[in-house]
Amino acid sequence: MPLNPCELKIDLYCKGMRIDPSCTLEADARFLSRTRAGLGSGLELVIPSDLKDLWTNVPIEEDFAADSPYALVKDGAEYVVRDDRDGTRYASRIPPEPGWYLEQTSKGTPMHKVGVLQGTYLGIYVSNSCSFWYHSPSLGCKFCTTGLNVGVNEVAEKDPDEVVEVARAAKAESGVTFVHLNSGYAGKDKGLDTMAPFVKALKEKVGVLTGVQVTPSPNLWKYDWLQDCGTDHFSFCYEFHNPKYFADYLPGKEKLLGQRTFFNALEYSVKKMGKGRVSGEIIAGVEPVEDTLRAIDYITEVGAFPTVCVFRPTIGAEMERFPSPSYEDMRVVMEHMWHACRKNGIPIGVAPNIEVSLVITPDDARLLPKRDMQWRLYEVKLAALRKAAGLHFRRQLRPHTVPGDPTRHPEGVPPLVSPMTEEATKLAREMGVARS
């Protein structure tokens, strides 16, 4: 039986894809870009569905992709994904490389070395490579290749003026509405400080929604400060809910931060910003599935948006030979994610033109559950939210002044920790990570 578009997106993450000789990707596709952690190192592909187009970044260079049953084939001017197990053909399209990729900033830097499209949003790795990589022995996360990519496939240090130029070009040509800024571990609690001038410049000079992803700060008042500077979204990548997997696969985060620091910052930010504006990011396919489901329950129960990455054994990572997960397990995870968002009233798919190619979003996962009355009621609610939020987003997508000063911390420091909710404490205690 053919897969639906979201099921196909999941299976392509798990199995990768071969490229048929009929394809002319050099002329038709975005170039493959191994930036940041390496998750976006595959081929950008769009799969149409009755609800929305699903953007995906398909592994094609990793070893496991050579044995994939899927092949990308060019049929005339159209691209199709062919399943060689039964001959099923799936409609798809290849997003072209934007013209601004080949342009240079006013300082002579190729724009694609400052930021790249990942789906429909602009991803920018702001600072130098994660300092976890420079410990001896290395404390780098074992799935990550940031230390191999930053400074090679992209410039190491980003300049705020150049980031503004690239964001303007991406907004004008590619319709970008969201710029995601991230960075590795900076040490001495400098991650949010580094982000502040970039966020403010993007808000005041470009007019885009901004997201920030850095290792969490124990100084929770800094999240208020970054909001004042213009941050619309925070993402907290704690990857594994099971404490043993967190410690074993994320040695730097375990040794220098601790899992509780992620939970503190995530919950504090949700309480300040409201449901759906903060993400808890996890990796599915490494720790037991039951732990991943518990992570989704925790993230949605506190009001955050679950960002669930299907594990990818990227070239050059310590986990390069770790097996890719099974489609059956990942489908269970992604449908559970949708049900958890519905149960906890998390708004999904509300912001305009943000399609993510690196993960299955809850908005993508709408295609997985049975379309019963609960599904339809949630769809009605989300449609109403999109309509109500339209004016807000139109204002946010115009350049406008924000009050925060990125060069100076605000006076007064609120308490450093926030209380967990009763249910979140229960879930964390069961996993052995609750605060005493």
mmCIF file of all heavy atoms in Angstrom, residues 27-75:
data_model
loop_
_atom_site.group_PDB
_atom_site.id
_atom_site.type_symbol
_atom_site.label_atom_id
_atom_site.label_comp_id
_atom_site.label_asym_id
_atom_site.label_seq_id
_atom_site.Cartn_x
_atom_site.Cartn_y
_atom_site.Cartn_z
ATOM 1 N N ALA A 27 21.964 21.170 -12.190
ATOM 2 C CA ALA A 27 21.249 22.292 -12.796
ATOM 3 C C ALA A 27 19.948 22.618 -12.084
ATOM 4 O O ALA A 27 19.479 23.761 -12.131
ATOM 5 C CB ALA A 27 20.948 21.978 -14.266
ATOM 6 N N ASP A 28 19.365 21.636 -11.402
ATOM 7 C CA ASP A 28 17.999 21.796 -10.901
ATOM 8 C C ASP A 28 17.885 22.033 -9.395
ATOM 9 O O ASP A 28 16.871 22.553 -8.934
ATOM 10 C CB ASP A 28 17.175 20.544 -11.241
ATOM 11 C CG ASP A 28 17.078 20.294 -12.729
ATOM 12 O OD1 ASP A 28 17.162 21.273 -13.490
ATOM 13 O OD2 ASP A 28 16.920 19.121 -13.113
ATOM 14 N N ALA A 29 18.881 21.638 -8.611
ATOM 15 C CA ALA A 29 18.716 21.566 -7.152
ATOM 16 C C ALA A 29 19.613 22.551 -6.422
ATOM 17 O O ALA A 29 20.576 23.092 -6.974
ATOM 18 C CB ALA A 29 19.013 20.147 -6.670
ATOM 19 N N ARG A 30 19.296 22.759 -5.159
ATOM 20 C CA ARG A 30 20.217 23.447 -4.257
ATOM 21 C C ARG A 30 21.422 22.546 -4.043
ATOM 22 O O ARG A 30 21.287 21.325 -3.944
ATOM 23 C CB ARG A 30 19.550 23.719 -2.903
ATOM 24 C CG ARG A 30 18.338 24.623 -2.946
ATOM 25 C CD ARG A 30 17.723 24.737 -1.551
ATOM 26 N NE ARG A 30 16.487 25.517 -1.579
ATOM 27 C CZ ARG A 30 15.697 25.673 -0.506
ATOM 28 N NH1 ARG A 30 16.021 25.123 0.651
ATOM 29 N NH2 ARG A 30 14.595 26.388 -0.603
ATOM 30 N N PHE A 31 22.603 23.140 -3.922
ATOM 31 C CA PHE A 31 23.774 22.306 -3.674
ATOM 32 C C PHE A 31 23.712 21.726 -2.264
ATOM 33 O O PHE A 31 23.085 22.291 -1.364
ATOM 34 C CB PHE A 31 25.074 23.089 -3.893
ATOM 35 C CG PHE A 31 25.337 24.179 -2.877
ATOM 36 C CD1 PHE A 31 25.948 23.896 -1.667
ATOM 37 C CD2 PHE A 31 24.988 25.503 -3.147
ATOM 38 C CE1 PHE A 31 26.199 24.892 -0.737
ATOM 39 C CE2 PHE A 31 25.241 26.504 -2.220
ATOM 40 C CZ PHE A 31 25.840 26.197 -1.023
ATOM 41 N N LEU A 32 24.338 20.577 -2.093
ATOM 42 C CA LEU A 32 24.364 19.943 -0.783
ATOM 43 C C LEU A 32 25.290 20.735 0.133
ATOM 44 O O LEU A 32 26.423 21.046 -0.243
ATOM 45 C CB LEU A 32 24.832 18.495 -0.880
ATOM 46 C CG LEU A 32 23.751 17.447 -1.157
ATOM 47 C CD1 LEU A 32 23.050 17.724 -2.471
ATOM 48 C CD2 LEU A 32 24.336 16.047 -1.144
ATOM 49 N N SER A 33 24.818 21.046 1.318
ATOM 50 C CA SER A 33 25.565 21.931 2.211
ATOM 51 C C SER A 33 25.772 21.270 3.556
ATOM 52 O O SER A 33 24.820 21.061 4.313
ATOM 53 C CB SER A 33 24.798 23.260 2.390
ATOM 54 O OG SER A 33 25.500 24.137 3.230
ATOM 55 N N ARG A 34 27.022 20.915 3.862
ATOM 56 C CA ARG A 34 27.334 20.334 5.170
ATOM 57 C C ARG A 34 27.723 21.463 6.115
ATOM 58 O O ARG A 34 28.896 21.783 6.283
ATOM 59 C CB ARG A 34 28.469 19.309 5.050
ATOM 60 C CG ARG A 34 28.029 18.065 4.310
ATOM 61 C CD ARG A 34 28.997 16.912 4.435
ATOM 62 N NE ARG A 34 28.424 15.751 3.789
ATOM 63 C CZ ARG A 34 27.592 14.895 4.384
ATOM 64 N NH1 ARG A 34 27.273 15.068 5.649
ATOM 65 N NH2 ARG A 34 27.091 13.872 3.725
ATOM 66 N N THR A 35 26.711 22.072 6.715
ATOM 67 C CA THR A 35 26.944 23.154 7.659
ATOM 68 C C THR A 35 26.494 22.716 9.041
ATOM 69 O O THR A 35 25.790 21.735 9.218
ATOM 70 C CB THR A 35 26.166 24.420 7.262
ATOM 71 O OG1 THR A 35 24.768 24.102 7.194
ATOM 72 C CG2 THR A 35 26.614 24.915 5.902
ATOM 73 N N ARG A 36 26.942 23.448 10.036
ATOM 74 C CA ARG A 36 26.524 23.233 11.417
ATOM 75 C C ARG A 36 26.688 21.766 11.814
ATOM 76 O O ARG A 36 27.704 21.148 11.551
ATOM 77 C CB ARG A 36 25.109 23.769 11.632
ATOM 78 C CG ARG A 36 25.003 25.245 11.235
ATOM 79 C CD ARG A 36 23.731 25.877 11.704
ATOM 80 N NE ARG A 36 22.585 25.474 10.915
ATOM 81 C CZ ARG A 36 21.351 25.912 11.154
ATOM 82 N NH1 ARG A 36 21.124 26.735 12.155
ATOM 83 N NH2 ARG A 36 20.351 25.547 10.399
ATOM 84 N N ALA A 37 25.668 21.167 12.447
ATOM 85 C CA ALA A 37 25.802 19.804 12.947
ATOM 86 C C ALA A 37 25.820 18.763 11.849
ATOM 87 O O ALA A 37 26.156 17.613 12.077
ATOM 88 C CB ALA A 37 24.657 19.507 13.922
ATOM 89 N N GLY A 38 25.445 19.145 10.625
ATOM 90 C CA GLY A 38 25.456 18.218 9.509
ATOM 91 C C GLY A 38 24.105 17.616 9.185
ATOM 92 O O GLY A 38 23.970 16.855 8.226
ATOM 93 N N LEU A 39 23.076 17.966 9.961
ATOM 94 C CA LEU A 39 21.755 17.369 9.749
ATOM 95 C C LEU A 39 21.177 17.740 8.391
ATOM 96 O O LEU A 39 20.446 16.969 7.784
ATOM 97 C CB LEU A 39 20.800 17.815 10.863
ATOM 98 C CG LEU A 39 19.442 17.126 10.926
ATOM 99 C CD1 LEU A 39 19.594 15.646 11.214
ATOM 100 C CD2 LEU A 39 18.546 17.784 11.975
ATOM 101 N N GLY A 40 21.511 18.916 7.878
ATOM 102 C CA GLY A 40 20.981 19.362 6.598
ATOM 103 C C GLY A 40 21.870 19.029 5.418
ATOM 104 O O GLY A 40 21.889 19.750 4.426
ATOM 105 N N SER A 41 22.607 17.914 5.504
ATOM 106 C CA SER A 41 23.604 17.596 4.485
ATOM 107 C C SER A 41 23.044 16.825 3.298
ATOM 108 O O SER A 41 23.787 16.399 2.431
ATOM 109 C CB SER A 41 24.737 16.776 5.118
ATOM 110 O OG SER A 41 24.218 15.586 5.710
ATOM 111 N N GLY A 42 21.720 16.640 3.248
ATOM 112 C CA GLY A 42 21.125 15.879 2.169
ATOM 113 C C GLY A 42 20.537 16.748 1.075
ATOM 114 O O GLY A 42 20.829 17.940 0.956
ATOM 115 N N LEU A 43 19.657 16.134 0.270
ATOM 116 C CA LEU A 43 19.022 16.801 -0.866
ATOM 117 C C LEU A 43 17.672 17.371 -0.443
ATOM 118 O O LEU A 43 16.821 16.654 0.085
ATOM 119 C CB LEU A 43 18.821 15.799 -2.005
ATOM 120 C CG LEU A 43 18.068 16.316 -3.228
ATOM 121 C CD1 LEU A 43 18.923 17.322 -3.989
ATOM 122 C CD2 LEU A 43 17.647 15.157 -4.133
ATOM 123 N N GLU A 44 17.467 18.660 -0.698
ATOM 124 C CA GLU A 44 16.187 19.284 -0.408
ATOM 125 C C GLU A 44 15.146 18.826 -1.438
ATOM 126 O O GLU A 44 15.370 18.898 -2.648
ATOM 127 C CB GLU A 44 16.318 20.805 -0.442
ATOM 128 C CG GLU A 44 17.198 21.385 0.646
ATOM 129 C CD GLU A 44 16.465 21.578 1.973
ATOM 130 O OE1 GLU A 44 15.423 22.254 1.988
ATOM 131 O OE2 GLU A 44 16.950 21.043 2.987
ATOM 132 N N LEU A 45 14.008 18.355 -0.921
ATOM 133 C CA LEU A 45 12.962 17.778 -1.757
ATOM 134 C C LEU A 45 11.616 18.204 -1.183
ATOM 135 O O LEU A 45 11.467 18.312 0.033
ATOM 136 C CB LEU A 45 13.084 16.260 -1.734
ATOM 137 C CG LEU A 45 12.143 15.425 -2.606
ATOM 138 C CD1 LEU A 45 12.599 15.490 -4.065
ATOM 139 C CD2 LEU A 45 12.124 13.973 -2.133
ATOM 140 N N VAL A 46 10.643 18.431 -2.056
ATOM 141 C CA VAL A 46 9.302 18.815 -1.628
ATOM 142 C C VAL A 46 8.321 17.733 -2.076
ATOM 143 O O VAL A 46 8.306 17.331 -3.245
ATOM 144 C CB VAL A 46 8.890 20.179 -2.212
ATOM 145 C CG1 VAL A 46 7.490 20.562 -1.733
ATOM 146 C CG2 VAL A 46 9.905 21.254 -1.813
ATOM 147 N N ILE A 47 7.497 17.272 -1.112
ATOM 148 C CA ILE A 47 6.501 16.240 -1.382
ATOM 149 C C ILE A 47 5.118 16.874 -1.234
ATOM 150 O O ILE A 47 4.764 17.342 -0.146
ATOM 151 C CB ILE A 47 6.641 15.066 -0.393
ATOM 152 C CG1 ILE A 47 8.070 14.523 -0.383
ATOM 153 C CG2 ILE A 47 5.635 13.957 -0.726
ATOM 154 C CD1 ILE A 47 8.356 13.586 0.778
ATOM 155 N N PRO A 48 4.324 16.937 -2.281
ATOM 156 C CA PRO A 48 3.000 17.559 -2.174
ATOM 157 C C PRO A 48 2.014 16.675 -1.426
ATOM 158 O O PRO A 48 2.126 15.448 -1.433
ATOM 159 C CB PRO A 48 2.579 17.742 -3.637
ATOM 160 C CG PRO A 48 3.309 16.666 -4.367
ATOM 161 C CD PRO A 48 4.610 16.472 -3.650
ATOM 162 N N SER A 49 1.035 17.303 -0.764
ATOM 163 C CA SER A 49 -0.053 16.553 -0.130
ATOM 164 C C SER A 49 -1.326 17.385 -0.216
ATOM 165 O O SER A 49 -1.301 18.542 -0.649
ATOM 166 C CB SER A 49 0.268 16.243 1.333
ATOM 167 O OG SER A 49 -0.023 17.349 2.174
ATOM 168 N N ASP A 50 -2.438 16.811 0.227
ATOM 169 C CA ASP A 50 -3.705 17.532 0.158
ATOM 170 C C ASP A 50 -3.791 18.647 1.182
ATOM 171 O O ASP A 50 -4.610 19.554 1.054
ATOM 172 C CB ASP A 50 -4.892 16.567 0.333
ATOM 173 C CG ASP A 50 -4.913 15.916 1.703
ATOM 174 O OD1 ASP A 50 -3.822 15.603 2.226
ATOM 175 O OD2 ASP A 50 -6.000 15.693 2.251
ATOM 176 N N LEU A 51 -2.953 18.606 2.232
ATOM 177 C CA LEU A 51 -2.992 19.635 3.272
ATOM 178 C C LEU A 51 -1.941 20.724 3.043
ATOM 179 O O LEU A 51 -2.210 21.898 3.275
ATOM 180 C CB LEU A 51 -2.770 19.004 4.651
ATOM 181 C CG LEU A 51 -3.843 18.027 5.138
ATOM 182 C CD1 LEU A 51 -3.448 17.477 6.508
ATOM 183 C CD2 LEU A 51 -5.203 18.702 5.215
ATOM 184 N N LYS A 52 -0.757 20.335 2.625
ATOM 185 C CA LYS A 52 0.356 21.272 2.466
ATOM 186 C C LYS A 52 1.498 20.546 1.768
ATOM 187 O O LYS A 52 1.518 19.313 1.716
ATOM 188 C CB LYS A 52 0.833 21.797 3.827
ATOM 189 C CG LYS A 52 1.157 20.689 4.821
ATOM 190 C CD LYS A 52 1.780 21.198 6.092
ATOM 191 C CE LYS A 52 3.252 21.435 5.913
ATOM 192 N NZ LYS A 52 3.963 21.726 7.170
ATOM 193 N N ASP A 53 2.461 21.300 1.274
ATOM 194 C CA ASP A 53 3.689 20.703 0.767
ATOM 195 C C ASP A 53 4.594 20.360 1.946
ATOM 196 O O ASP A 53 4.751 21.163 2.874
ATOM 197 C CB ASP A 53 4.419 21.669 -0.166
ATOM 198 C CG ASP A 53 3.736 21.808 -1.514
ATOM 199 O OD1 ASP A 53 2.838 20.988 -1.819
ATOM 200 O OD2 ASP A 53 4.099 22.739 -2.264
ATOM 201 N N LEU A 54 5.205 19.181 1.901
ATOM 202 C CA LEU A 54 6.129 18.759 2.944
ATOM 203 C C LEU A 54 7.555 18.879 2.422
ATOM 204 O O LEU A 54 7.902 18.275 1.401
ATOM 205 C CB LEU A 54 5.853 17.315 3.369
ATOM 206 C CG LEU A 54 4.803 17.096 4.451
ATOM 207 C CD1 LEU A 54 3.422 17.515 3.968
ATOM 208 C CD2 LEU A 54 4.780 15.647 4.899
ATOM 209 N N TRP A 55 8.355 19.670 3.114
ATOM 210 C CA TRP A 55 9.757 19.850 2.750
ATOM 211 C C TRP A 55 10.595 18.839 3.512
ATOM 212 O O TRP A 55 10.387 18.616 4.711
ATOM 213 C CB TRP A 55 10.220 21.264 3.098
ATOM 214 C CG TRP A 55 9.640 22.316 2.214
ATOM 215 C CD1 TRP A 55 8.338 22.725 2.154
ATOM 216 C CD2 TRP A 55 10.345 23.102 1.253
ATOM 217 N NE1 TRP A 55 8.191 23.712 1.220
ATOM 218 C CE2 TRP A 55 9.400 23.970 0.647
ATOM 219 C CE3 TRP A 55 11.676 23.166 0.842
ATOM 220 C CZ2 TRP A 55 9.761 24.882 -0.344
ATOM 221 C CZ3 TRP A 55 12.035 24.083 -0.133
ATOM 222 C CH2 TRP A 55 11.081 24.925 -0.722
ATOM 223 N N THR A 56 11.548 18.240 2.817
ATOM 224 C CA THR A 56 12.410 17.269 3.476
ATOM 225 C C THR A 56 13.834 17.380 2.949
ATOM 226 O O THR A 56 14.061 17.841 1.826
ATOM 227 C CB THR A 56 11.878 15.834 3.277
ATOM 228 O OG1 THR A 56 12.691 14.916 4.008
ATOM 229 C CG2 THR A 56 11.873 15.430 1.821
ATOM 230 N N ASN A 57 14.774 16.977 3.783
ATOM 231 C CA ASN A 57 16.180 16.959 3.420
ATOM 232 C C ASN A 57 16.605 15.495 3.473
ATOM 233 O O ASN A 57 16.757 14.918 4.548
ATOM 234 C CB ASN A 57 16.986 17.827 4.404
ATOM 235 C CG ASN A 57 18.443 17.932 4.014
ATOM 236 O OD1 ASN A 57 19.218 17.019 4.266
ATOM 237 N ND2 ASN A 57 18.819 19.047 3.418
ATOM 238 N N VAL A 58 16.773 14.891 2.309
ATOM 239 C CA VAL A 58 16.914 13.434 2.209
ATOM 240 C C VAL A 58 18.378 13.022 2.191
ATOM 241 O O VAL A 58 19.160 13.524 1.369
ATOM 242 C CB VAL A 58 16.221 12.915 0.929
ATOM 243 C CG1 VAL A 58 16.238 11.385 0.904
ATOM 244 C CG2 VAL A 58 14.800 13.438 0.828
ATOM 245 N N PRO A 59 18.782 12.087 3.055
ATOM 246 C CA PRO A 59 20.155 11.576 2.991
ATOM 247 C C PRO A 59 20.417 10.879 1.652
ATOM 248 O O PRO A 59 19.652 9.998 1.247
ATOM 249 C CB PRO A 59 20.221 10.562 4.140
ATOM 250 C CG PRO A 59 19.068 10.903 5.039
ATOM 251 C CD PRO A 59 18.007 11.468 4.148
ATOM 252 N N ILE A 60 21.480 11.269 0.969
ATOM 253 C CA ILE A 60 21.832 10.604 -0.285
ATOM 254 C C ILE A 60 23.309 10.215 -0.340
ATOM 255 O O ILE A 60 23.701 9.399 -1.186
ATOM 256 C CB ILE A 60 21.489 11.477 -1.522
ATOM 257 C CG1 ILE A 60 22.287 12.777 -1.508
ATOM 258 C CG2 ILE A 60 20.003 11.745 -1.599
ATOM 259 C CD1 ILE A 60 22.144 13.599 -2.794
ATOM 260 N N GLU A 61 24.129 10.752 0.564
ATOM 261 C CA GLU A 61 25.569 10.476 0.513
ATOM 262 C C GLU A 61 26.022 9.499 1.593
ATOM 263 O O GLU A 61 27.076 8.880 1.459
ATOM 264 C CB GLU A 61 26.358 11.780 0.659
ATOM 265 C CG GLU A 61 26.199 12.710 -0.537
ATOM 266 C CD GLU A 61 27.140 13.899 -0.471
ATOM 267 O OE1 GLU A 61 27.510 14.306 0.653
ATOM 268 O OE2 GLU A 61 27.507 14.427 -1.532
ATOM 269 N N GLU A 62 25.245 9.348 2.665
ATOM 270 C CA GLU A 62 25.611 8.420 3.729
ATOM 271 C C GLU A 62 25.561 6.986 3.204
ATOM 272 O O GLU A 62 24.799 6.661 2.282
ATOM 273 C CB GLU A 62 24.674 8.591 4.924
ATOM 274 C CG GLU A 62 24.974 9.803 5.786
ATOM 275 C CD GLU A 62 24.637 11.137 5.137
ATOM 276 O OE1 GLU A 62 23.849 11.149 4.172
ATOM 277 O OE2 GLU A 62 25.155 12.175 5.579
ATOM 278 N N ASP A 63 26.331 6.112 3.824
ATOM 279 C CA ASP A 63 26.454 4.736 3.339
ATOM 280 C C ASP A 63 25.117 4.022 3.263
ATOM 281 O O ASP A 63 24.848 3.274 2.309
ATOM 282 C CB ASP A 63 27.405 3.939 4.239
ATOM 283 C CG ASP A 63 28.867 4.339 4.051
ATOM 284 O OD1 ASP A 63 29.171 5.015 3.043
ATOM 285 O OD2 ASP A 63 29.700 3.982 4.902
ATOM 286 N N PHE A 64 24.252 4.246 4.257
ATOM 287 C CA PHE A 64 23.001 3.498 4.279
ATOM 288 C C PHE A 64 22.098 3.852 3.105
ATOM 289 O O PHE A 64 21.250 3.045 2.696
ATOM 290 C CB PHE A 64 22.268 3.699 5.613
ATOM 291 C CG PHE A 64 21.642 5.046 5.810
ATOM 292 C CD1 PHE A 64 20.302 5.269 5.513
ATOM 293 C CD2 PHE A 64 22.378 6.113 6.324
ATOM 294 C CE1 PHE A 64 19.716 6.501 5.704
ATOM 295 C CE2 PHE A 64 21.803 7.355 6.516
ATOM 296 C CZ PHE A 64 20.463 7.548 6.202
ATOM 297 N N ALA A 65 22.271 5.043 2.517
ATOM 298 C CA ALA A 65 21.427 5.454 1.398
ATOM 299 C C ALA A 65 21.691 4.617 0.141
ATOM 300 O O ALA A 65 20.812 4.478 -0.717
ATOM 301 C CB ALA A 65 21.645 6.929 1.093
ATOM 302 N N ALA A 66 22.881 4.037 0.043
ATOM 303 C CA ALA A 66 23.204 3.221 -1.134
ATOM 304 C C ALA A 66 22.332 1.977 -1.219
ATOM 305 O O ALA A 66 22.140 1.416 -2.309
ATOM 306 C CB ALA A 66 24.676 2.836 -1.109
ATOM 307 N N ASP A 67 21.804 1.532 -0.088
ATOM 308 C CA ASP A 67 20.957 0.332 -0.058
ATOM 309 C C ASP A 67 19.475 0.692 0.003
ATOM 310 O O ASP A 67 18.633 -0.188 0.230
ATOM 311 C CB ASP A 67 21.315 -0.524 1.164
ATOM 312 C CG ASP A 67 22.755 -1.022 1.111
ATOM 313 O OD1 ASP A 67 23.208 -1.369 0.005
ATOM 314 O OD2 ASP A 67 23.416 -1.050 2.162
ATOM 315 N N SER A 68 19.134 1.949 -0.212
ATOM 316 C CA SER A 68 17.743 2.376 -0.107
ATOM 317 C C SER A 68 16.896 1.778 -1.224
ATOM 318 O O SER A 68 17.348 1.675 -2.373
ATOM 319 C CB SER A 68 17.659 3.903 -0.174
ATOM 320 O OG SER A 68 16.306 4.326 -0.235
ATOM 321 N N PRO A 69 15.654 1.437 -0.930
ATOM 322 C CA PRO A 69 14.740 1.011 -1.992
ATOM 323 C C PRO A 69 14.234 2.188 -2.824
ATOM 324 O O PRO A 69 13.617 1.986 -3.869
ATOM 325 C CB PRO A 69 13.593 0.355 -1.220
ATOM 326 C CG PRO A 69 13.581 1.061 0.098
ATOM 327 C CD PRO A 69 15.035 1.340 0.408
ATOM 328 N N TYR A 70 14.494 3.403 -2.363
ATOM 329 C CA TYR A 70 13.992 4.585 -3.062
ATOM 330 C C TYR A 70 15.039 5.144 -4.021
ATOM 331 O O TYR A 70 16.234 5.214 -3.700
ATOM 332 C CB TYR A 70 13.609 5.676 -2.058
ATOM 333 C CG TYR A 70 12.451 5.307 -1.174
ATOM 334 C CD1 TYR A 70 12.662 4.991 0.169
ATOM 335 C CD2 TYR A 70 11.150 5.259 -1.676
ATOM 336 C CE1 TYR A 70 11.600 4.642 0.994
ATOM 337 C CE2 TYR A 70 10.086 4.909 -0.861
ATOM 338 C CZ TYR A 70 10.308 4.596 0.473
ATOM 339 O OH TYR A 70 9.264 4.242 1.280
ATOM 340 N N ALA A 71 14.555 5.568 -5.171
ATOM 341 C CA ALA A 71 15.420 6.226 -6.150
ATOM 342 C C ALA A 71 14.717 7.475 -6.665
ATOM 343 O O ALA A 71 13.503 7.464 -6.913
ATOM 344 C CB ALA A 71 15.731 5.288 -7.315
ATOM 345 N N LEU A 72 15.481 8.552 -6.798
ATOM 346 C CA LEU A 72 14.957 9.761 -7.414
ATOM 347 C C LEU A 72 15.178 9.655 -8.910
ATOM 348 O O LEU A 72 16.299 9.399 -9.376
ATOM 349 C CB LEU A 72 15.666 10.998 -6.859
ATOM 350 C CG LEU A 72 15.136 12.343 -7.366
ATOM 351 C CD1 LEU A 72 13.737 12.614 -6.819
ATOM 352 C CD2 LEU A 72 16.081 13.478 -6.979
ATOM 353 N N VAL A 73 14.104 9.845 -9.667
ATOM 354 C CA VAL A 73 14.145 9.683 -11.118
ATOM 355 C C VAL A 73 13.588 10.933 -11.771
ATOM 356 O O VAL A 73 12.597 11.499 -11.301
ATOM 357 C CB VAL A 73 13.307 8.453 -11.542
ATOM 358 C CG1 VAL A 73 13.310 8.302 -13.062
ATOM 359 C CG2 VAL A 73 13.828 7.192 -10.875
ATOM 360 N N LYS A 74 14.210 11.369 -12.855
ATOM 361 C CA LYS A 74 13.679 12.492 -13.616
ATOM 362 C C LYS A 74 12.896 11.945 -14.805
ATOM 363 O O LYS A 74 13.416 11.186 -15.633
ATOM 364 C CB LYS A 74 14.796 13.415 -14.089
ATOM 365 C CG LYS A 74 14.283 14.732 -14.673
ATOM 366 C CD LYS A 74 15.410 15.716 -14.939
ATOM 367 C CE LYS A 74 14.849 17.075 -15.395
ATOM 368 N NZ LYS A 74 15.918 18.051 -15.679
ATOM 369 N N ASP A 75 11.631 12.307 -14.871
ATOM 370 C CA ASP A 75 10.727 11.849 -15.923
ATOM 371 C C ASP A 75 10.296 13.060 -16.737
ATOM 372 O O ASP A 75 9.400 13.808 -16.341
ATOM 373 C CB ASP A 75 9.522 11.150 -15.290
ATOM 374 C CG ASP A 75 8.604 10.510 -16.315
ATOM 375 O OD1 ASP A 75 8.878 10.638 -17.520
ATOM 376 O OD2 ASP A 75 7.601 9.887 -15.910
#
